[in-house]
Amino acid sequence: MTTTVQVNRAPVLTLWATVVAERLGHPHEEALSLGRAVAGLNAQSKGRRLGIYEGKDEPARKAPAAKKAATRTRLVEILGRQVPVTTTKQGDRAVLKDAVIEPKGVERYLAQKFGDALDDVTAAMKALAKAYTPRQLGSMAYVLYERFRPEIPAGARGWGAKGPLDVARIRAMASRADEG
């Protein structure tokens, strides 16, 4: 059983947002897409705040034609973020910068970042999510993430830095929530 994993925050947030989306009733593949979008939106916001990314004046990149999203989208709230979602032939998918986020790519990303620890981390996060009703989780999911996310240096020094994800802490948070 994994107790800690050295990882940066983006994959942790991606996985947590995926788990939360599933607990809120979204199908697995849609949840993967939503999870990646939440992490992407957070990265954009933090990058702008740190001066790493330009604001809205930055020229938009064109998405590959095959992955371009349909113009009809709706918003889905996950971890306090409004995520644009469109319906594709495969189901509902999150959209960032006019590109549909494909679940297979998110699965590869998570497998690469977590390695052999992915199943243990996922199980711990699912136990934590299950310890709350969907309504409770919907309102406090980001606060829970802030309690277990890896510690990294503040400011630009922490951008992309790895830190220890304490999986035992996530399990303990789930146990305490179950008891309360």
Side-chain angles (χ1 to χ4, degrees), residues 31-58:
L32 283 163
S33 183
L34 289 166
R36 183 68 169 166
V38 167
L41 291 168
N42 261 32
Q44 288 173 9
S45 177
K46 184 175 183 181
R48 277 192 215 103
R49 192 172 59 251
L50 295 174
I52 293 169
Y53 294 142
E54 296 291 323
K56 294 187 184 218
D57 297 335
E58 181 182 3

Side-chain angles (χ1 to χ4, degrees), residues 52 100 133 163:
I52 293 169
V100 174
T133 66

Side-chain angles (χ1 to χ4, degrees), residues 25-102:
H26 297 275
H28 180 68
E29 290 188 339
E30 180 182 343
L32 283 163
S33 183
L34 289 166
R36 183 68 169 166
V38 167
L41 291 168
N42 261 32
Q44 288 173 9
S45 177
K46 184 175 183 181
R48 277 192 215 103
R49 192 172 59 251
L50 295 174
I52 293 169
Y53 294 142
E54 296 291 323
K56 294 187 184 218
D57 297 335
E58 181 182 3
R61 294 183 318 185
K62 285 218 168 207
K67 298 212 180 214
K68 189 137 175 111
T71 55
R72 283 187 43 183
T73 60
R74 69 182 198 292
L75 296 175
V76 172
E77 185 175 330
I78 302 289
L79 275 78
R81 291 278 182 191
Q82 296 292 320
V83 179
V85 173
T86 192
T87 300
T88 70
K89 291 178 184 175
Q90 295 77 31
D92 290 347
R93 301 291 183 262
V95 178
L96 278 183
K97 296 183 181 181
D98 292 329
V100 174
I101 300 174
E102 296 296 338

